[in-house]
Amino acid sequence: MQFVLLAAVIPRTLAERAIEIVQRDGAAGLTLLDAQSIAQLRRNPVMDLKDTSVRKVLLMVLEADLARRMLEHLDAELELSRQGHGFAVTLPIKDIAGIKPEQIEQLRKTLEQSPSDGDATPRA
């Protein structure tokens, strides 16, 4: 079983919706962090405006296939391709500490009992 880190950086206003999506898709838990985006706005060089909007960062350690489904649902339902809606990535995990073997075994059993998501569509 391969694990990945799913990280989503989203506007504060989308955080509750993102949490609902990943919980619906099977996330047992997540870490939610406050963050601040700092980007140079190029619209008006005279005023040198900066965007310092408040963001939330969701971090989850997940089985790779489950993470891919969650990533796709977050992208579709939060419209991450729209400017200012954030982004999400998965990163492979080589080593991990702090997760007990019993937790991994329980996840494996849960995944085996879950129906295939091949025909599932994102729910609004």
Side-chain angles (χ1 to χ4, degrees), residues 34-87:
D34 289 323
Q36 185 173 355
S37 172
I38 300 174
Q40 188 71 32
L41 298 178
R42 305 265 181 217
R43 294 184 189 133
N44 188 343
V46 175
M47 297 178 73
D48 193 31
L49 298 174
K50 294 187 186 304
D51 173 21
T52 57
S53 53
V54 177
R55 303 279 183 189
K56 292 287 188 176
V57 178
L58 284 73
L59 299 174
M60 294 161 277
V61 175
L62 301 163
E63 186 274 330
D65 291 333
L66 180 60
R68 173 169 283 296
R69 285 193 303 270
M70 286 185 191
L71 180 72
E72 290 169 356
H73 291 166
L74 286 168
D75 185 24
E77 295 181 44
L78 299 180
E79 300 178 280
L80 295 180
S81 61
R82 290 185 56 196
Q83 184 173 355
H85 278 228
F87 65 94

Side-chain angles (χ1 to χ4, degrees), residues 99-118:
I99 296 180
K100 299 176 186 172
E102 304 87 53
Q103 291 173 296
I104 294 172
E105 182 61 23
Q106 181 61 41
L107 174 62
R108 186 187 64 73
K109 288 178 182 178
T110 301
L111 290 172
E112 287 174 355
Q113 295 171 358
S114 298
S116 173
D117 193 44

